Amino acid sequence: MKVINKHISQVLVHILFWMLFVFVSLFLFSSYHWSDNPFLQYVALLVVIVYFNNLVLLPFFVKKKLYVVYVLVFTTIAFLGTQLYCYAFAQCGCSLFKCLSDYLWQSLVPLIFFSFIWMLYRFIDKQDEIEAIKKEHTEMELKFLKSQINPHVLFNNLNTIYAYAIEKPNEVPEMILMLSDNLKHVLYESNAKTISLDKEIQFIDNYMKFQKLRTEGVKEIQYKKSIDAMHHKIAPLLLITIIENAFKHSTLNSLISVDIKVENGVLECVCENDFDKEKVSTTAFKIGLQNLEKRLELIYNNTYDFSIEKAKTFKVRLKLNLK
């Protein structure tokens, strides 16, 4: 549709220019009548010159970057066209200087105008190509960042199921069902640009259940939700990065707090945990949250607020506009 609209606009520009050009030449700058004006005969030749310039000369010289040569060729064509009009069509019998001063504009105006139009649309096409490349690069980067998240989440869940298969086998069937839901979410639903908030929260609920089972007796978990509406859309696997980071880097026998709130289309997720201050500056500690920041910038641009506080506890806060 965009290509069709561009072609239609080009055709309209060309038609309107030729109509205006002929009108101005015949009524404002000519004493000839319509029936015997030699300019009408010259217009046909002028059209050939203009479109030969647009279809052959401009693409060739611009591609070769022979701009000086093109200007010389362009000037020569305008000069010869003017001489042809003066002595073959108008037969004015005037001097070379008089010919150029009176009639050169009739050759130059359409040549310059359509050369400008050609370069303008070429610039627009180049910008479209650049935008398409940027979009493709962004999508590839997002897929790469998500691919670093998915194995992490599933690996932890599988470890939990393995441990329970040995110690508490009766609880394994329910855990497998939860893992099945998470697999479906990660492998299929997370490929979309956005998914329903309801599905993302369900994925987090399952993850938190796994973590409560896996860290039972080792860590205390507080998980709170306050969501006024589930109809919103959200980019998949954003919140899990913050939550998983809290579990991965929290110390033993500590408290992990996860609070998710959605009010009036604004989501706020706050995760807080104790941490080892000696490890907080390591690359392993930072990489997950750095990936998250890149995703947020690529997807939400300036409609989010992301902050990290490192005082007595490690607190990560994400505020996101879902509207």
Side-chain angles (χ1 to χ4, degrees), residues 216-233:
E216 187 177 5
V218 179
K219 296 179 183 180
E220 182 184 350
I221 298 173
Q222 289 182 355
Y223 177 43
K224 294 187 294 182
K225 293 185 297 181
S226 176
I227 301 173
D228 63 359
M230 285 287 193
H231 66 272
H232 299 291
K233 296 286 187 179

Side-chain angles (χ1 to χ4, degrees), residues 197-198 200-202 205 223-232 239 260-264 266-268 322:
L197 180 62
D198 184 38
E200 188 71 5
I201 294 298
Q202 184 182 350
D205 287 344
Y223 177 43
K224 294 187 294 182
K225 293 185 297 181
S226 176
I227 301 173
D228 63 359
M230 285 287 193
H231 66 272
H232 299 291
L239 305 183
I260 299 174
K261 181 171 66 175
V262 178
E263 187 175 352
N264 296 324
V266 177
L267 180 145
E268 187 173 14
L322 300 178

Side-chain angles (χ1 to χ4, degrees), residues 279-293:
K279 295 181 180 179
V280 74
S281 60
T282 63
T283 303
F285 197 97
K286 294 179 179 179
I287 189 168
L289 297 179
Q290 286 176 341
N291 286 345
L292 175 62
E293 282 195 271

Side-chain angles (χ1 to χ4, degrees), residues 42 45-46 49-50 52-53 57 69-87 96 99-113 115:
Y42 179 59
L45 182 61
L46 197 56
I49 293 172
V50 165
F52 177 74
N53 174 63
L57 297 181
V69 178
Y70 172 72
V71 170
L72 293 174
V73 173
F74 182 92
T75 305
T76 302
I77 289 174
F79 174 78
L80 293 177
T82 303
Q83 296 303 300
L84 184 66
Y85 178 55
C86 284
Y87 300 115
L96 176 63
C99 176
L100 292 176
S101 64
D102 288 351
Y103 302 111
L104 180 60
W105 71 271
Q106 290 183 318
S107 299
L108 278 179
V109 168
L111 276 169
I112 293 174
F113 177 80
S115 295

Side-chain angles (χ1 to χ4, degrees), residues 134-187:
K134 284 182 179 179
K135 184 178 179 181
E136 185 179 351
H137 175 74
T138 300
E139 289 175 354
M140 289 177 64
E141 189 171 354
L142 285 172
K143 287 179 181 179
F144 171 72
L145 292 172
K146 281 201 291 187
S147 72
Q148 293 181 309
I149 299 168
N150 299 351
H152 247 165
V153 177
L154 299 177
F155 183 71
N156 287 343
N157 289 350
L158 284 171
N159 276 344
T160 303
I161 291 176
Y162 173 75
Y164 266 72
I166 297 172
E167 299 174 7
K168 301 177 182 179
N170 292 335
E171 298 185 28
V172 169
E174 184 183 354
M175 296 173 70
I176 290 176
L177 285 176
M178 286 192 293
L179 178 61
S180 175
D181 287 339
N182 282 7
L183 274 170
K184 179 183 176 183
H185 184 82
V186 169
L187 295 176

